[in-house]
């Protein structure tokens, strides 16, 4: 099992460009999330999905779109990149267990917006 | 808004010392998780606590969930340089709820 994979590992964008960060998991987990992590800070939730066709906003959703057409994939789209979106992005997946949220994380995508 | 706070923010100790880090909230969580993150990598799950008052041990690490399920602590006995990293707590109110993270405690264990 590969677990949670993310591509690309590094990306540099110019202000106004759009791009999609890819995330895939092979554990058949219903629940997937996207977080961003800025220096000196913990992880902030961008969007999450509790199953195919279902998505919801997290703490910092502005400027990002998601969709969940399959259980395996949960791409994150930046519509018009801004310097404030420079960050490390982590995707995570978890099985929906009663009362627990044990997440498995990908290696991250390091994004710089100039 | 469910908010998780962690203290201390930074901790630098000598090898062999004991330490405790805290995770606090005004909200009730169905469970809390502790993760450790090393530079350049994603967080890795250490433990989940589900029942109020629960204590779990993982070698030299002891985790406790508060009776009211609003707070948790992580105690490390005889810290080693390999314990160095960012310790994060996280939780959600229900199985399908959003999962939020605290800001983390950055631990440095000096040989």
């Amino acid at each position: 099992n590969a677990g949670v994979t993310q591509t690309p590992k590094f990306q540099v964008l110019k202000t106004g460009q759009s791009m999609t960060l890819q995330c895939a998991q092979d554990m058949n987990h219903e629940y997937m999330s996207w977080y961003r992590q800025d220096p000196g800070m913990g992880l902030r939730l961008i969007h999450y999905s509790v199953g195919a066709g279902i998505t919801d906003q997290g703490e910092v959703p502005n400027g990002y779109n998601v969709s969940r057409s399959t259980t395996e994939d949960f791409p994150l789209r930046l519509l018009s990149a801004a310097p404030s979106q420079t960050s490390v992005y982590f995707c995570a997946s978890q099985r929906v267990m009663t009362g627990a949220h044990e997440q498995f994380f990908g290696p991250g995508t390091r994004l710089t917006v100039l | 808004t469910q908010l998780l706070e962690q203290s201390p923010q930074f901790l630098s100790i000598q090898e062999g010392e004991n330490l405790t880090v805290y995770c606090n909230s005004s909200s009730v969580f169905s469970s809390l998780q502790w993760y450790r993150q090393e530079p350049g990598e994603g967080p890795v799950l250490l433990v989940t606590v589900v029942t109020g008052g629960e204590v779990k041990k993982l070698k030299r690490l002891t985790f406790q969930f508060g009776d009211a399920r609003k707070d948790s602590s992580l105690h490390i006995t005889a810290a080693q340089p390999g314990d160095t990293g960012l310790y994060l707590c996280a939780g959600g109110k229900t199985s399908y709820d959003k999962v939020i993270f605290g800001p983390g405690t950055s631990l440095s264990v000096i040989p």
Side-chain angles (χ1 to χ4, degrees):
Chain A
N1 284 352
V4 180
T5 58
Q6 291 184 238
T7 56
K9 288 191 174 182
F10 301 93
Q11 183 70 50
V12 179
L13 293 178
K14 295 181 179 179
T15 296
Q17 289 184 317
S18 63
M19 79 160 296
T20 298
L21 279 62
Q22 301 292 343
C23 175
Q25 53 96 5
D26 61 1
M27 297 174 281
N28 201 32
H29 286 169
E30 308 95 322
Y31 192 123
M32 297 184 74
S33 307
W34 275 104
Y35 294 88
R36 60 177 288 173
Q37 186 173 35
D38 301 303
M41 299 181 70
L43 281 75
R44 291 186 291 170
L45 181 65
I46 303 171
H47 287 286
Y48 67 107
S49 169
V50 299
I54 305 170
T55 63
D56 206 346
Q57 296 182 348
E59 303 167 278
V60 289
N62 292 341
Y64 307 95
N65 271 5
V66 293
S67 60
R68 184 96 179 272
S69 57
T70 67
T71 299
E72 295 78 19
D73 301 298
F74 191 41
L76 178 71
R77 281 180 284 277
L78 280 69
L79 307 174
S80 178
S84 60
Q85 293 178 305
T86 293
S87 189
V88 181
Y89 291 84
F90 289 101
C91 178
S93 75
Q94 68 185 67
R95 182 171 292 113
V96 179
M97 298 167 60
T98 301
H101 302 87
E102 298 179 335
Q103 299 196 78
F104 295 84
F105 283 83
T109 293
R110 285 144 187 83
L111 176 67
T112 301
V113 182
L114 303 175
Chain B
T1 302
Q2 52 188 57
L3 186 67
L4 281 170
E5 300 176 336
Q6 290 187 244
S7 61
Q9 185 178 1
F10 299 98
L11 192 54
S12 181
I13 62 172
Q14 295 289 327
E15 182 176 1
E17 292 183 348
N18 301 333
L19 67 115
T20 302
V21 298
Y22 300 92
C23 175
N24 297 290
S25 176
S26 58
S27 300
V28 175
F29 289 87
S30 62
S31 68
L32 282 179
Q33 288 74 45
W34 284 93
Y35 294 82
R36 187 172 78 196
Q37 185 180 24
E38 298 190 17
E41 299 181 5
V44 175
L45 179 69
L46 294 174
V47 80
T48 293
V49 285
V50 178
T51 305
E54 180 178 9
V55 176
K56 281 190 173 179
K57 292 191 175 183
L58 184 66
K59 296 182 179 179
R60 295 176 292 102
L61 279 61
T62 302
F63 304 85
Q64 186 163 6
F65 201 13
D67 291 341
R69 307 209 319 274
K70 294 181 178 181
D71 54 85
S72 181
S73 63
L74 159 60
H75 181 80
I76 301 179
T77 303
Q80 299 178 359
D83 296 327
T84 293
L86 180 67
Y87 289 81
L88 297 156
C89 67
K93 290 187 175 180
T94 67
S95 299
Y96 288 90
D97 194 17
K98 61 185 71 174
V99 178
I100 63 164
F101 278 75
T105 293
S106 180
L107 172 64
S108 177
V109 182
I110 303 166

